[in-house]
C-alpha cells in the first residue's frame, strides 16, 4: 500500500516535469537576432506601400520608421551558396510605436526577433529635429532584451542607409560598431555614447553630442558630432571633425591627436601628441559673470615635416615650429568655442563639470539655465606645447 | 477601519502559493524520512535471525577412525579434499594429513612433515607440535574448526590417540603478482598496488615504514561464506570515538558474502540515498598510509585490492598523491585544475543547454552567430541533441572497458571521432556541441577517483534535465540543491564539505592550494585526532 502511494507520487512528479516541458525555451537558431537598428522619420518604404495597396495596413499615423538588421541570414546548407548571399537582412517598418512596429515584423518574418545582441542604434538627425530624443529612445530604455551597452549614433542622411553600406563580408552593424575602436588612432572619433550614458544625459537636461555618421555611395565616415539641446531634446546642428577633436583637448580625454599646420613656405608639418594635461579654472565676479582659465599642456613629436631646410634637432627650429602648432591649436579651439558659445549656445565640452566641482554654490544658481550662462562667459586659452622628439630621422 | 485592513489581506492565489511552499518541503522531508527508515528496517529485520544458527560443537575424539570417518562424511565428499593417511614410526600409530588441493602448494613441507612423522616414535619426549618443521602450527579441539580451517586451506594433521588436531601452515593458494595500481596510476610515486591477499596487503602497509602505532584488527564478515576483514589505524592518532563508530558499524554488517569492499562500503555508509560516495576506495598503499596519518581508518577486505578509507571529505576525491610528491606550486595548480575539471564535467552540458535554449543573449555575439549558422539544420532541441551525443559517449566509454585490451583504446578514439564527425555531417548535432561533449568527457577523466567520476557523470544528466526545464535558473537551482545536499551529508560524523563548511581556516592549507609541506605542521582539525602535531 505504502509503496503504491509512493509510486503514485513519483508518477505525479514525473508528469509534472514532462508536462511543464521546456518552459519558455526557445532554441537560438529559431530566433532572429538583430544587431543594428536605424530610426528615421516616418516614411513608408516601397514594399510597405505595396503591402498597403494590397490592404495590409492598420490604424497608424506614420510617426517613425524603424529598421532592424537581422543576422545571420540562413547561409544555405552547403558551402557553394555561401558568398553569394549577404550575411544579413534588413527589415523596415513604419508606424507610431517602435514596439508595435516590431510586433508587426512578426507578420513578415519566420522567426521572432530578439534584441540581446543589439550593438548600435543609428538615429537620423532629421527625426531628432521633429521629436525629442527621449521619446525616440523610450522603448529601447524600457525593453529588457536590449542591453544598456548599445552604442548610439546620429546620421546626417537616412539612418537606414547606414545599415546598407557595402562592407566586404561583414555586417554593417558590426562594422560601424568596430570603427569606434579606432579611437586610439584619432581623436576625431568621440567616446561612444552608450544607451545608459544617454539615459543619464537626458535626465540631467544638459546638452550633449552624439557621434555623427555620414554616407556617400554605400560608404560611411564618422564625421563630427550632432548636438542635442538639453531642454528640448532636439538636434540643433553639427560640430565639425576638428571641433570633436578639440573637445578631447578641452576635456582632457585625448590619448591620440595630431595637429597639422603649414610653415611660411606652405609646407605641411604634423605634430603628434604624446601626452596632454588640461586644467580649467573657474573664476566669477559679483554678477556671476564666469571666466574660465583653460590651460592646456602637451608634449609630442614632429611626425611629418615637408620642410627640407630646417633641422628639427635644433632647439631653435623646434621653438619656431612650436609657435606654429600653438597658433593652429588655438585657432582650432577657438573655432569650437565660437561654435558652442555663439552659434549653438550650448556647452558640450563639460565646462559645467568644472563649475560644479569648483564652485558648487554658484552651480546651483546657474544650473537651470546653464547653456545661457556658458554662452555669456569668457574663456581664456593658455597653451603650453612642447616638442620633445622628432622621430628617428632629422630629415 | 475594517476596509483598510481588508485591503492588506492578499488574494487567494497568494494563500495558495503559501500553502504550496509549506506543503512541498514537508512532503519532501517525509519522503526522505520514509526512505531512510527503509534502510534501518532492513538492518533490524535481518539482525533478528542470526541468534538461532549456533550449532552444537563436536569435539575431536581420541579415536582416529571416528575422526577420519567424520571428516570423510562432512568434507570428504569434495573431490578436492585430500586425506593422506600414513603410519608413524615403528609403533604403527596412524596419522593423516588433510588438505585441499591447490591451497597447499609447498610440496617440500609436506614431504618434510611426512618424513618426520615416519621417523618419529610416539613416545618422543618433546611434544609433536614443537618438532613440526614449520613456524606456523597450532592445535585445535573441535571438528568444526578443523573442517573449516581445512577448507580455508590449512594443512591439518590428525594423530591416532590424540583428542586434538594440528593446523599447520596457513593457506598459500594461487596469488596474483604485485602490479601497478591500474585505476590510480601516477607518473611519480611508488608503483606498488594492493593485491587480493589481505596478508600481503597488511604487510605492504607495514613495509611503508616502521611504526609501533599501526594497529590491525581482524573481523570475519559474511554469514554463508566468511571472509577476513581488517581495520587499520594509527594508535596514537586516531580519534577513539571514530574507531568505536567504525568497529560498531562493521560488527553490525549482515551479509551473506562480501565479494568486494564495495559490499562493505554500502553496508556501512551513512546515507544510501546520496549520489556521493562516503568512503574512499583506493589501490594505493601510500594513499592509505597518508590517510592513516591524518587520523583516518582503513578497511581492508580479503579478496580485493581495493581498501576503503573512512571518513571521507569532498576534497579528498579530487586529490592525488602526486599533489604532495611534486613541489607545492605545480601540485596546487593541478589540484585547482581538477576542481575546475569537476565543475566542467558536472555543468558544461547543462550550461550549453541553458545558453542555447534560454539565454541567447549571454553568448558573445560573434559566437552566437556562429552557433546559429551551425545549428540551422539541427532538428532537435538542445536537450535531445546533448542527450544523443552524451549517451553515445557514455556507451562508448562503457564499451571501452569490455573491449579486448589491444583494440580498446583505438576503438575509443576512433569511435569518438567517427561518431562526432558523422553526427555533425548528418546534421543531428552541431559542431559546437561536439566540443562541449569532448571537453566534458576529458574533464571527467581527469578526476583521480573513478567512483567520484561516475557520480559526476550521473549528476550531469540530472543537471541537463534541470537546465532543459528552467534554463540557467534551473541550472543554478540544481547547483544549490547539490550544495545543500553536500553541506548536510556526513561521512562517519565528519561533514562532507569540511573545511568549506563548517569553515575551518587552518584546513584550507590542504584544500584548493597545497601549501609547502613544512607549513603543514598539524593534522587536519576536522579529524579531531588525539595527537595534533605532525612532528
Amino acid at each position: 500500500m505504502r509503496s503504491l502511494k509512493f509510486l503514485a507520487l513519483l508518477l505525479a512528479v514525473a508528469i509534472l516535469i514532462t508536462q511543464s516541458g521546456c518552459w519558455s525555451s526557445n532554441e537560438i537558431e529559431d530566433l532572429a537576432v538583430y544587431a543594428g537598428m536605424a530610426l528615421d522619420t516616418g516614411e513608408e518604404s516601397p514594399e510597405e506601400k505595396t503591402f498597403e495597396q494590397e490592404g495590409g495596413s492598420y490604424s497608424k499615423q506614420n510617426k517613425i520608421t524603424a529598421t532592424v538588421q537581422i543576422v545571420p541570414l540562413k547561409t544555405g546548407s552547403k558551402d557553394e551558396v555561401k558568398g553569394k548571399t549577404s550575411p544579413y537582412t534588413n527589415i523596415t517598418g513604419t508606424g507610431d510605436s517602435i514596439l508595435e512596429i516590431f510586433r508587426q515584423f512578426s507578420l513578415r518574418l519566420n522567426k521572432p526577433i530578439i534584441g540581446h545582441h543589439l550593438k548600435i542604434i543609428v538615429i537620423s538627425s532629421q527625426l531628432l529635429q521633429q521629436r525629442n530624443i527621449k521619446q525616440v529612445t523610450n522603448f529601447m530604455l524600457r525593453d529588457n532584451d536590449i542591453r544598456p551597452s548599445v552604442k548610439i549614433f546620429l546620421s546626417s542622411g537616412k539612418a537606414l542607409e547606414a545599415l546598407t553600406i557595402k562592407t566586404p563580408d561583414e555586417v554593417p552593424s558590426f562594422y560601424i560598431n568596430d570603427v569606434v575602436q579606432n579611437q586610439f588612432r584619432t581623436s576625431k572619433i568621440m567616446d561612444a555614447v552608450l544607451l545608459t550614458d544617454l539615459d543619464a544625459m537626458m535626465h540631467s537636461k544638459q546638452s550633449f553630442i552624439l557621434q555623427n555618421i555620414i554616407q556617400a555611395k554605400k560608404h560611411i565616415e564618422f564625421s563630427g558630432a550632432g548636438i542635442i539641446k538639453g531642454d528640448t531634446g532636439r538636434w540643433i546642428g553639427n560640430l565639425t571633425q576638428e571641433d570633436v577633436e578639440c573637445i578631447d583637448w578641452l576635456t582632457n580625454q585625448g590619448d591620440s591627436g595630431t595637429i597639422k599646420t603649414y610653415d611660411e613656405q606652405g609646407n605641411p608639418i604634423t605634430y603628434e601628441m604624446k601626452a596632454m594635461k588640461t586644467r580649467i579654472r573657474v573664476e566669477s565676479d559679483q554678477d556671476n559673470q564666469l571666466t574660465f582659465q583653460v590651460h592646456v599642456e602637451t608634449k609630442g613629436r614632429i611626425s611629418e615635416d615637408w620642410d627640407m631646410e630646417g633641422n628639427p634637432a635644433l632647439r631653435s627650429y623646434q621653438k619656431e615650429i612650436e609657435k606654429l602648432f600653438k597658433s593652429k591649436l588655438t585657432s582650432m579651439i577657438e573655432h569650437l568655442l565660437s561654435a558652442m558659445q555663439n552659434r549653438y549656445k550650448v556647452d558640450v565640452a563639460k565646462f559645467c563639470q568644472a563649475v560644479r566641482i569648483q564652485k558648487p554654490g554658484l552651480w546651483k544658481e546657474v544650473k537651470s539655465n546653464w547653456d545661457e550662462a556658458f554662452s555669456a562667459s569668457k574663456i581664456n586659452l593658455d597653451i603650453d606645447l612642447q616638442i620633445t622628439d622628432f622621430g628617428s630621422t632629422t630629415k | 477601519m475594517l476596509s483598510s485592513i481588508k485591503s492588506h489581506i492578499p488574494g487567494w492565489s497568494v494563500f495558495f502559493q503559501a500553502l504550496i511552499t509549506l506543503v512541498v518541503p514537508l512532503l519532501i522531508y517525509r519522503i526522505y524520512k520514509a526512505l531512510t527508515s527503509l534502510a534501518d528496517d532492513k538492518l533490524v529485520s535481518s539482525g533478528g535471525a542470526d541468534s538461532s544458527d549456533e550449532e552444537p560443537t563436536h569435539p575431536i575424539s581420541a579415536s582416529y577412525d571416528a575422526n577420519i570417518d567424520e571428516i570423510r562424511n562432512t568434507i570428504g565428499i569434495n573431490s578436492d579434499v585430500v586425506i593422506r593417511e600414513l603410519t608413524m614410526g615403528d609403533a604403527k600409530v596412524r596419522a593423516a594429513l588433510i588438505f585441499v588441493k591447490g591451497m597447499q602448494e609447498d610440496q617440500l613441507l609436506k614431504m618434510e612433515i611426512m618424513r618426520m612423522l615416519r621417523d618419529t616414535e610416539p613416545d618422543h619426549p618433546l611434544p609433536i607440535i614443537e618438532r613440526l618443521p614449520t613456524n606456523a602450527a597450532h592445535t585445535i579441539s573441535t571438528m568444526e574448526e578443523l573442517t573449516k580451517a581445512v577448507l580455508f586451506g590449512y594443512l591439518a594433521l590428525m594423530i591416532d590417540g590424540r583428542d586434538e588436531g594440528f593446523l599447520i601452515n596457513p593457506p598459500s593458494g594461487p596469488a596474483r603478482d604485485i602490479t601497478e595500481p591500474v585505476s590510480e596510476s601516477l607518473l611519480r610515486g611508488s608503483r606498488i598496488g594492493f593485491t587480493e591477499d589481505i596478508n600481503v596487503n597488511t604487510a605492504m602497509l607495514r613495509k611503508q615504514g616502521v611504526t609501533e602505532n599501526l594497529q590491525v584488527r581482524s573481523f570475519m564478515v559474511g554469514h554463508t561464506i566468511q571472509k577476513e576483514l581488517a581495520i587499520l589505524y594509527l594508535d596514537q592518532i586516531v580519534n577513539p570515538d571514530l574507531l568505536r563508530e567504525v568497529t560498531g558499524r562493521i560488527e553490525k554488517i549482515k551479509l551473506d558474502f562480501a565479494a568486494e569492499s564495495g559490499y562493505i562500503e554500502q553496508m556501512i555508509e551513512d546515507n544510501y540515498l546520496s549520489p556521493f560516495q562516503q568512503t574512499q576506495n583506493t589501490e594505493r598503499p601510500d594513499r592509505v598510509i597518508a590517510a592513516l596519518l591524518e587520523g583516518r581508518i582503513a578497511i581492508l577486505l580479503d579478496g580485493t585490492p581495493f581498501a576503503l578509507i573512512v571518513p571521507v571529505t569532498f576534497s579528498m576525491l579530487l586529490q592525488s598523491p602526486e599533489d604532495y610528491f611534486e613541489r607545492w606550486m605545480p601540485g596546487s595548480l593541478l589540484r585547482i585544475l581538477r576542481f575546475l575539471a569537476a565543475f566542467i564535467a558536472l555543468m558544461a552540458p547543462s550550461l550549453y543547454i541553458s545558453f542555447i535554449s534560454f539565454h541567447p543573449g549571454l553568448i558573445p555575439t560573434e559566437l552566437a552567430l556562429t552557433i546559429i549558422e551551425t545549428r540551422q539544420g539541427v532538428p532537435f532541441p538542445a536537450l535531445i541533441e546533448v542527450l544523443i551525443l552524451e549517451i553515445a559517449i557514455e556507451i562508448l566509454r562503457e564499451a571501452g572497458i569490455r573491449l579486448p585490451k589491444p583494440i580498446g583504446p583505438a576503438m575509443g578514439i576512433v569511435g569518438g571521432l567517427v561518431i562526432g564527425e558523422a553526427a555533425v555531417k548528418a546534421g543531428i548535432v552541431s559542431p559546437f556541441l561536439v566540443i562541449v561533449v569532448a571537453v566534458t568527457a576529458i574533464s571527467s577523466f581527469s578526476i583521480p577517483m573513478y567512483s567520484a567520476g561516475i557520480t559526476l557523470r550521473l549528476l550531469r544528466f540530472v543537471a541537463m534535465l534541470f537546465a532543459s526545464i528552467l534554463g540557467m535558473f534551473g541550472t543554478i537551482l540544481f547547483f544549490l540543491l547539490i550544495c545543500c545536499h553536500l553541506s548536510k551529508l556526513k561521512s562517519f560524523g565528519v561533514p562532507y564539505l569540511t573545511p568549506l563548511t563548517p569553515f575551518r581556516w587552518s584546513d584550507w592549507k590542504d584544500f584548493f592550494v597545497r601549501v609547502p609541506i613544512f607549513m603543514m605542521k598539524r593534522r587536519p582539525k576536522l579529524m579531531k585526532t588525539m595527537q595534533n602535531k605532525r612532528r
Side-chain angles (χ1 to χ4, degrees):
Chain A
M1 190 60 216
R2 207 166 105 186
S3 67
L4 208 69
K5 240 196 225 166
F6 179 66
L7 208 74
L9 198 82
L10 214 73
L11 204 70
V13 171
I15 286 173
L16 184 75
I17 288 174
T18 51
Q19 292 308 299
S20 58
C22 304
W23 257 338
S24 70
S25 103
N26 228 335
E27 307 301 314
I28 189 169
E29 74 271 17
D30 298 333
L31 301 169
V33 173
Y34 60 91
M37 190 200 287
L39 299 172
D40 281 295
T41 49
E43 196 184 305
E44 290 183 328
S45 60
E47 67 262 23
E48 268 185 295
K49 282 186 184 138
T50 321
F51 280 142
E52 226 156 86
Q53 279 163 17
E54 297 288 322
S57 185
Y58 59 104
S59 59
K60 58 178 182 176
Q61 294 166 355
N62 290 347
K63 285 183 193 292
I64 194 168
T65 297
T67 307
V68 292
Q69 182 153 70
I70 294 166
V71 286
L73 198 64
K74 190 168 180 172
T75 44
S77 51
K78 291 283 163 276
D79 296 80
E80 67 231 35
V81 202
K82 225 176 177 179
K84 286 179 198 163
T85 53
S86 74
Y88 65 91
T89 177
N90 287 354
I91 181 163
T92 306
T94 308
D96 303 332
S97 109
I98 295 178
L99 178 67
E100 195 183 33
I101 296 169
F102 280 14
R103 291 292 183 262
Q104 210 64 23
F105 286 159
S106 306
L107 302 176
R108 293 161 61 186
L109 290 171
N110 60 348
K111 294 170 187 173
I113 54 172
I114 56 153
H116 295 294
H117 291 289
L118 183 61
K119 295 285 173 210
I120 59 158
I121 300 174
V122 185
I123 309 172
S124 81
S125 32
Q126 213 190 338
L127 175 69
L128 287 181
Q129 257 175 316
Q130 297 171 5
R131 316 232 171 255
N132 192 325
I133 191 166
K134 270 191 192 174
Q135 300 169 328
V136 172
T137 56
N138 192 281
F139 167 73
M140 277 73 90
L141 288 168
R142 283 173 196 269
D143 191 48
N144 61 345
D145 269 11
I146 293 172
R147 300 282 173 85
S149 60
V150 180
K151 296 185 179 107
I152 314 280
F153 299 99
L154 286 183
S155 165
S156 298
K158 278 199 147 225
L160 67 89
E161 275 164 16
L163 296 188
T164 53
I165 53 170
K166 232 185 180 161
T167 52
D169 257 4
E170 207 172 348
V171 181
S173 306
F174 297 147
Y175 186 85
I176 294 172
N177 187 39
D178 291 345
V179 172
V180 178
Q181 290 171 1
N182 292 338
Q183 212 188 5
F184 77 103
R185 279 296 159 88
T186 169
S187 49
K188 286 176 182 169
I189 299 174
M190 51 179 280
D191 277 347
V193 176
L194 310 182
L195 198 55
T196 97
D197 301 334
L198 186 73
D199 196 19
M201 290 191 299
M202 287 189 314
H203 271 284
S204 72
K205 292 236 160 60
Q206 300 301 327
S207 303
F208 56 90
I209 50 172
L210 292 171
Q211 180 75 54
N212 191 37
I213 299 174
I214 54 173
Q215 300 128 29
K217 286 190 184 162
K218 300 229 160 210
H219 288 278
I220 54 138
E221 188 182 19
F222 275 36
S223 174
I227 306 167
I228 308 289
K229 184 89 174 142
D231 43 6
T232 60
R234 305 285 162 101
W235 174 85
I236 52 169
N238 277 342
L239 293 178
T240 65
Q241 294 187 6
E242 278 182 4
D243 288 343
V244 172
E245 206 171 7
C246 288
I247 284 182
D248 273 357
W249 283 102
L250 286 178
T251 51
N252 195 16
Q253 271 175 337
D255 37 30
S256 62
T258 55
I259 306 168
K260 180 211 68 189
T261 186
Y262 308 93
D263 63 8
E264 290 85 353
Q265 289 86 44
N267 291 322
I269 19 174
T270 312
Y271 169 84
E272 190 182 356
M273 183 265 282
K274 275 165 67 190
M276 67 170 286
K277 177 90 195 142
T278 306
R279 263 186 244 104
I280 299 177
R281 230 176 53 246
V282 186
E283 287 161 9
S284 64
D285 55 19
Q286 292 84 353
D287 351 312
N288 286 350
Q289 171 65 37
L290 287 163
T291 310
F292 293 99
Q293 303 289 349
V294 180
H295 181 74
V296 182
E297 223 181 273
T298 171
K299 283 179 184 166
R301 66 158 74 100
I302 307 170
S303 286
E304 200 173 346
D305 185 1
W306 287 24
D307 180 12
M308 289 296 108
E309 271 77 56
N311 182 1
L314 287 177
R315 189 71 195 120
S316 58
Y317 181 78
Q318 287 180 0
K319 281 232 161 115
E320 218 172 285
I321 288 177
E322 272 173 18
K323 250 180 240 155
L324 289 173
F325 285 134
K326 224 169 78 192
S327 66
K328 171 70 179 169
L329 184 59
T330 314
S331 74
M332 272 163 67
I333 294 179
E334 269 164 3
H335 179 267
L336 168 70
L337 290 176
S338 89
M340 287 201 297
Q341 286 190 301
N342 307 328
R343 207 160 137 218
Y344 299 115
K345 298 202 187 308
V346 288
D347 164 31
V348 291
K350 307 245 171 74
F351 280 96
C352 58
Q353 294 293 336
V355 183
R356 194 176 61 83
I357 292 163
Q358 292 172 32
K359 307 247 179 217
L362 183 65
W363 170 242
K364 268 182 195 156
E365 288 174 37
V366 297
K367 196 164 111 182
S368 49
N369 47 1
W370 167 245
D371 279 345
E372 285 73 45
F374 169 72
S375 309
S377 67
K378 239 176 91 184
I379 299 172
N380 297 328
L381 262 181
D382 170 28
I383 294 173
D384 178 9
L385 189 144
Q386 208 181 332
I387 291 170
T388 57
D389 186 1
F390 47 84
S392 31
T393 176
T394 53
K395 286 289 165 202
Chain B
M1 172 69 183
L2 200 69
S3 64
S4 73
I5 295 175
K6 231 178 191 172
S7 69
H8 285 287
I9 297 174
W12 68 270
S13 62
V14 175
F15 279 112
F16 182 70
Q17 283 172 15
L19 189 75
I20 295 264
T21 44
L22 177 73
V23 167
V24 167
L26 281 179
L27 211 68
I28 293 172
Y29 179 73
R30 285 285 293 279
I31 293 171
Y32 180 76
K33 273 274 159 192
L35 286 175
T36 42
S37 68
L38 224 61
D40 294 343
D41 285 354
K42 263 187 196 140
L43 275 181
V44 171
S45 63
S46 61
D50 69 324
S51 54
S52 58
D53 40 72
E54 290 279 322
E55 280 170 34
T57 52
H58 297 82
I60 295 173
S61 70
S63 154
Y64 171 79
D65 288 320
N67 287 339
I68 291 296
D69 279 348
E70 182 154 3
I71 290 168
R72 275 195 210 285
N73 288 336
T74 49
I75 59 174
I77 47 169
N78 292 306
S79 54
D80 58 346
V81 172
V82 179
I83 301 172
R84 171 77 169 84
E85 293 183 79
L86 46 111
T87 342
M88 277 174 74
D90 304 331
K92 308 279 187 253
V93 176
R94 286 190 296 163
L97 278 173
I98 309 148
F99 58 92
V100 174
K101 269 190 244 169
M103 291 179 97
Q104 285 292 341
E105 297 293 299
D106 200 343
Q107 291 298 335
L108 196 66
L109 179 74
K110 274 184 266 181
M111 299 254 293
E112 280 293 321
I113 290 172
M114 278 195 262
R115 184 178 300 139
M116 183 213 85
L117 289 173
R118 198 190 58 214
D119 298 346
T120 305
E121 297 305 318
D123 50 355
H124 199 276
L126 276 172
I128 194 155
I129 193 159
E130 286 183 22
R131 284 180 292 130
L132 285 170
T134 169
N135 55 4
H138 60 279
T139 59
I140 45 164
S141 54
T142 66
M143 218 62 213
E144 281 72 31
E145 264 181 282
L146 181 108
T147 50
K148 211 183 246 179
V150 166
L151 288 179
F152 192 64
Y154 279 91
L155 180 65
L157 173 65
M158 303 287 287
I159 298 172
D160 192 13
R162 285 172 186 262
D163 57 353
E164 56 183 8
F166 300 96
L167 289 184
I168 313 161
N169 207 35
S172 61
R176 187 168 60 92
D177 285 341
I178 295 170
T179 51
E180 202 179 336
V182 181
S183 68
E184 290 166 276
S185 49
L186 295 181
L187 281 179
R188 183 171 183 178
S190 80
R191 300 262 182 267
I192 198 170
F194 285 132
T195 67
E196 279 77 7
D197 190 335
I198 192 167
N199 295 322
V200 176
N201 290 349
T202 47
M204 257 182 229
L205 289 171
R206 292 258 183 226
K207 267 201 246 168
Q208 293 279 320
V210 184
T211 171
E212 351 179 288
N213 288 340
L214 180 63
Q215 307 257 328
V216 183
R217 277 168 66 184
S218 269
F219 297 85
M220 295 305 278
V221 290
H223 279 205
T224 310
I225 300 179
Q226 288 204 317
K227 238 182 193 184
E228 191 182 354
L229 179 147
I231 63 172
L232 286 90
Y233 54 91
L234 288 177
D235 194 25
Q236 299 296 311
I237 294 169
V238 74
N239 182 343
D241 290 335
L242 176 68
L243 186 61
R244 243 193 317 277
E245 180 68 33
V246 173
T247 48
R249 286 193 197 183
I250 284 170
E251 276 160 1
K252 267 192 217 143
I253 291 175
K254 304 275 183 280
L255 260 185
D256 229 15
F257 172 57
E260 214 270 344
S261 52
Y263 277 60
I264 306 296
E265 175 179 354
Q266 290 169 65
M267 294 308 285
I268 61 173
E269 68 188 356
D270 290 63
N271 186 350
Y272 81 100
L273 287 171
S274 170
F276 292 92
Q277 62 189 112
Q278 290 138 60
T279 61
Q280 187 183 26
N281 55 68
T282 179
E283 297 187 71
R284 300 192 63 89
D286 51 358
R287 207 171 207 160
V288 170
I289 282 291
L292 295 186
L293 278 165
E294 288 180 346
R296 297 178 209 272
I297 295 174
I299 301 169
L300 266 61
L301 184 73
D302 197 21
T304 174
F306 285 95
L308 300 178
I309 297 170
V310 290
V312 63
T313 55
F314 182 73
S315 62
M316 278 169 75
L317 305 179
L318 296 174
Q319 290 171 1
S320 160
E322 241 171 345
D323 297 354
Y324 303 92
F325 301 160
E326 284 294 339
R327 297 184 63 252
W328 73 277
M329 277 190 277
S332 302
L333 172 81
L334 291 178
R335 190 175 276 187
I336 292 167
L337 212 60
R338 262 180 246 127
F339 273 92
L340 189 75
F343 183 80
I344 292 173
L346 183 61
M347 301 300 253
S350 52
L351 287 176
Y352 174 81
I353 292 174
S354 33
F355 282 148
I356 295 294
S357 299
F358 290 85
H359 315 285
L362 292 180
I363 314 171
T365 304
E366 280 78 6
L367 184 62
L369 297 186
T370 323
I371 293 174
I372 290 174
E373 276 181 62
T374 53
R375 268 185 65 90
Q376 289 289 0
V378 177
F380 303 112
L383 172 70
I384 307 292
E385 187 196 7
V386 176
L387 276 181
I388 288 173
L389 212 55
E390 276 289 342
I391 290 176
I393 289 278
E394 292 297 331
I395 292 174
L396 204 67
R397 188 190 277 201
E398 190 59 24
I401 301 171
R402 317 256 170 271
L403 282 171
K405 268 231 173 78
I407 60 167
M411 187 63 202
I413 296 163
V414 172
L417 285 178
V418 168
I419 289 182
E421 181 68 25
V424 170
K425 274 267 167 65
I428 302 175
V429 301
S430 70
F432 189 66
L433 175 72
V434 177
I435 302 172
V436 171
V437 171
V439 168
T440 311
I442 295 168
S443 300
S444 68
F445 277 123
S446 76
I447 295 161
M449 297 297 309
Y450 177 69
S451 30
I454 303 180
T455 304
L456 293 183
R457 273 156 72 185
L458 171 83
L459 289 174
R460 182 195 304 156
F461 285 93
V462 183
M464 271 149 54
L465 285 181
F466 269 82
S468 70
I469 295 167
L470 288 171
M472 201 60 163
F473 178 59
T475 311
I476 292 168
L477 272 189
F478 168 77
F479 192 72
L480 290 181
L481 213 65
I482 292 290
C483 288
C484 287
H485 171 67
L486 280 176
S487 59
K488 200 165 172 293
L489 189 63
K490 278 184 178 171
S491 164
F492 288 82
V494 174
Y496 206 60
L497 276 188
T498 31
L500 205 64
T501 165
F503 186 79
R504 282 180 226 270
W505 179 241
S506 59
D507 287 354
W508 275 62
K509 281 189 237 172
D510 194 14
F511 190 33
F512 290 117
V513 173
R514 200 275 288 169
V515 298
I517 284 173
F518 75 87
M519 284 167 86
M520 289 197 256
K521 285 183 184 139
R522 291 173 187 281
R523 297 179 206 286
K525 263 213 180 117
L526 63 107
M527 295 306 303
K528 298 210 166 61
T529 47
M530 279 174 35
Q531 191 190 58
N532 194 3
K533 272 208 164 142
R534 274 199 192 263
R535 64 187 86 91

